[in-house]
Amino acid sequence: MIAIREAWRAGLFKRAHWAPNIGAGLIVGVVALPLAMAFAIASGVKPEQGLYTAIIAGAAVALFGGTRIQIAGPTGAFIVILAGVVAQFGVEGLLLATLMAGVMLVLMGLARFGAVIRYIPDPVIVGFTAGIAVIIWVGQWQYFFGLPDVPGERFYQTAWNLLRALPGLHVPTTLVGLGSLALVLWGPRIPGLGKVPGPLLAMVAATVFITAFPLPGVATIESTFGAIPRGLPSFAWPEMSFDKVVMLLPAAFTIAMLGAIESLLSAVIADGMAGTRHDSNQELVGQGIANILSPLFGGIAATGALARTATNFRNGATGPLAGVVHSVFLVLVLLVLAPLAGRVPLAALAAILFVVAWNMSEARRFLRMARRAPRPDMAILLITFALTIVTDLVVAVNIGVILAMFEFLRRMSASVEVVEEKPQSLRRELEGLGIESLPPGVMVYSINGPFFYGSVDSLQRALSWGSEPPRYLVLRLERMPVLDATGIKRLESTVESLGGRGVHVVLVGANQRVLRKLVRAELVSRDDEPPRYFAGLAEALSWVAARPDTRRVQ
């Protein structure tokens, strides 16, 4: 359900909810102001493009998303991907890739993929998120320490060149960065400033200081990127061609997948805080609309921002009105305070991103998982983390998910058992037939667990008898929840192979879903003679016991 419609039905637009939502929206707008510009700069675009993104995406997700209190905008998770797209295809390429990602997100939502996205394993998410955090942190050294541009196609090359350049750091820039970092971390503890967000405090203090005491060599937004234009962005359709769309497909898909993961994680956590229940498919549609509109007005990729969403809730937000107010506030900043924003030192924004990277890394959770998780999960975590840094996010996530899938299949196949049922375990069924043991020439086996392509060998191993086979083999399927095409093929080949050796296979007790598959595969039919399927074990044993040839072959 669309968040705004659900909030309307819940009465969240009544006058009693205006004050807390307007207050929360203003506070979130204050928090979003420095973050939006910092994320844009780190992504390789102009700072005002971060503001455009926060304005458009914030309003679009609030109105069309599936979460009441979600705040959307540019986030740190996108920095690595967006910077790579800008470096390879330019800003125009990034705008087109974002538009394509938006279309993909809408289609994913309409196809009801919202629940599927949430199944990406924790070790993969924690691994690539921590890797992104490291890249963001190192990527801001240049602005924090006032270092020159350094070459490097890969992260480790850039990091090494930055380390070599550190002895030549610019002292005034570094001091501004350290002071800003201290204000981000401890500024709210200063008496009287407890309610002022640390990032805003650092940005304002650094800007005032540099304006009052100009320091040569300290880069600002205006000196590096030019003045921030005062006014709203104009509509412009990104340059598009078939070849360009094809080249940008991998980047667009990565943006869409990462945006889906981030927004749904934020929505889940928002539900936990607010006691609500989001619509994951509508959330994807809302995020898609935001990423379609954002590049049409010069913005970049956006997703649900966990820190801003949490700030929204903690300051009293109950519905989408807060997200709209947050966007209106940023519009007023553009119209009124744009010239002042151009004087913000880049070192102050780098300090803000240092803290963002630390929070994003979830270092304690990463270390706890690396120490205490099962060894396969630990390996997936570390491999995903390392590949994010050494190669890129796309490779890291793909390999991490593939490894997690293989590990899941290994565990699932190990959990499947094909076991022989002894008379002791069949006592109730045998007593109902008035006998104490199975008839001669009859054996009963049970398949316990999902019978799929990763586990079919267990049947062959179990039925590899050292002596002559029985005359009748009863296969119990009550504990088989899942059967795939490979499992059907293995059952079919088992029936044919044993039939050639004079063994009649009887299937028993499949659930409705499995039984439908057996019928569709023509492995089971009403016209089977002798019958091959019985609904219950007692019925099957009764039929077998009545056969004249129930004896063990010597």
Side-chain angles (χ1 to χ4, degrees):
M1 180 178 290
I2 298 177
I4 191 169
R5 186 171 60 198
E6 193 264 347
W8 180 272
R9 291 179 178 177
L12 299 180
F13 286 101
K14 293 181 179 179
R15 188 179 298 273
H17 292 276
W18 288 6
N21 281 284
I22 291 174
L26 292 174
I27 292 173
V28 174
V30 168
V31 172
L33 176 61
L35 294 176
M37 293 192 294
F39 290 143
I41 292 171
S43 299
V45 298
K46 294 183 177 181
E48 61 266 25
Q49 291 181 271
L51 295 176
Y52 300 159
T53 307
I55 292 168
I56 297 166
V61 170
L63 295 174
F64 303 110
T67 311
R68 287 185 186 179
I69 60 172
Q70 181 88 284
I71 299 294
T75 64
F78 277 136
I79 288 175
V80 178
I81 296 297
L82 304 191
V85 175
V86 171
Q88 187 174 359
F89 301 102
V91 176
E92 277 295 319
L94 174 60
L95 298 181
L96 179 56
T98 302
L99 177 63
M100 293 164 59
V103 174
M104 291 178 187
L105 283 167
V106 171
L107 294 177
M108 288 163 62
L110 295 177
R112 309 192 69 80
F113 281 179
V116 177
I117 298 293
R118 293 179 294 180
Y119 294 143
I120 296 179
D122 265 2
V124 177
I125 294 175
V126 174
F128 80 68
T129 303
I132 291 172
V134 172
I135 294 173
I136 293 172
W137 175 59
V138 174
Q140 292 304 304
W141 289 2
Q142 176 184 350
Y143 297 130
F144 189 89
F145 298 109
L147 304 176
D149 288 333
V150 296
E153 293 183 3
R154 295 290 184 182
F155 166 77
Y156 57 87
Q157 296 170 330
T158 304
W160 173 246
N161 289 329
L162 285 171
L163 282 172
R164 294 176 61 186
L166 272 179
L169 60 82
H170 187 250
V171 175
T173 299
T174 305
L175 292 175
V176 171
L178 290 172
S180 301
L181 183 60
L183 286 174
V184 175
L185 294 173
W186 300 295
R189 300 182 185 179
I190 299 173
L193 298 178
K195 294 186 177 181
V196 180
L200 179 69
L201 184 61
M203 184 185 72
V204 171
T207 303
V208 170
F209 178 79
I210 290 299
T211 302
F213 306 100
L215 297 174
V218 176
T220 64
I221 288 177
E222 188 170 342
S223 67
T224 307
F225 301 98
I228 295 178
R230 177 185 290 179
L232 298 177
S234 57
F235 176 89
W237 192 264
E239 183 182 342
M240 187 182 303
S241 67
F242 179 79
D243 291 340
K244 202 168 186 180
V245 167
V246 172
M247 285 191 298
L248 287 169
L249 271 176
F253 182 74
T254 304
I255 293 171
M257 289 299 297
L258 188 56
I261 294 169
E262 287 286 308
S263 63
L264 293 179
L265 286 176
S266 179
V268 169
I269 295 173
D271 283 348
M273 291 186 296
T276 57
R277 185 177 180 180
H278 74 280
D279 183 331
S280 57
N281 296 308
Q282 184 60 46
E283 183 64 23
L284 292 181
V285 172
Q287 296 290 341
I289 293 172
N291 282 281
I292 291 172
L293 295 177
S294 179
L296 297 179
F297 293 91
I300 57 176
T303 186
L306 177 57
R308 275 160 275 175
T309 299
T311 301
N312 192 35
F313 170 74
R314 289 169 186 157
N315 287 279
T318 59
L321 179 60
V324 175
V325 170
H326 139 273
S327 295
V328 172
F329 172 81
L330 293 176
V331 169
L332 295 176
V333 169
L334 267 179
L335 295 177
V336 178
L337 302 178
L340 296 178
R343 302 175 188 175
V344 176
L346 296 182
L349 296 181
I352 293 170
L353 287 182
F354 275 11
V355 177
V356 169
W358 170 255
N359 293 333
M360 185 177 177
S361 71
E362 295 187 278
R364 292 183 180 87
R365 184 183 180 190
F366 182 93
L367 294 174
R368 184 169 60 251
M369 188 176 291
R371 289 196 306 265
R372 301 178 183 176
R375 289 185 179 179
D377 292 331
M378 183 192 310
I380 293 170
L381 170 75
L382 297 177
I383 289 171
T384 305
F385 173 75
L387 288 175
T388 302
I389 293 175
V390 176
T391 57
D392 59 50
L393 183 62
V394 179
V395 173
V397 172
N398 286 341
I399 292 181
V401 169
I402 291 172
L403 290 175
M405 180 186 67
F406 284 156
E407 173 57 18
F408 171 77
L409 293 177
R410 186 189 69 81
R411 292 174 181 173
M412 290 297 293
S413 61
S415 69
V416 177
E417 295 180 321
V418 181
V419 296
E420 182 181 0
E421 298 275 1
K422 299 297 183 181
Q424 296 88 338
S425 63
L426 301 173
R427 183 178 305 164
R428 187 176 62 182
E429 289 83 359
L430 295 176
E431 287 178 353
L433 297 175
I435 57 178
E436 295 182 357
S437 63
L438 289 170
V442 179
M443 297 184 75
V444 179
Y445 277 77
S446 177
I447 301 178
N448 302 329
F451 199 60
F452 67 110
Y453 64 90
S455 62
V456 292
D457 289 341
S458 57
L459 180 63
Q460 184 176 356
R461 289 194 300 268
L463 301 183
S464 299
W465 298 293
S467 58
E468 288 296 319
R471 184 63 177 166
Y472 292 93
L473 173 66
V474 179
L475 277 180
R476 301 184 66 178
L477 310 182
E478 295 100 321
R479 301 187 185 93
M480 180 200 289
V482 175
L483 176 68
D484 72 350
T486 307
I488 293 173
K489 181 64 178 176
R490 181 56 56 90
L491 276 178
E492 188 176 31
S493 62
T494 299
V495 169
E496 292 177 357
S497 174
L498 292 179
R501 299 170 64 186
V503 180
H504 181 70
V505 178
V506 176
L507 306 177
V508 174
N511 63 48
Q512 287 299 314
R513 183 168 54 181
V514 170
L515 181 58
R516 282 196 299 268
K517 293 180 179 180
L518 294 175
V519 172
R520 191 181 304 121
E522 299 182 350
L523 192 58
V524 169
S525 172
R526 294 180 181 273
D527 301 326
D528 287 337
E529 185 56 42
R532 179 162 292 141
Y533 178 80
F534 292 90
L537 178 61
E539 184 183 355
L541 292 179
S542 177
W543 178 83
V544 171
R547 303 295 291 174
D549 56 349
T550 49
R551 68 186 187 281
R552 290 191 183 277
V553 179
Q554 300 297 326

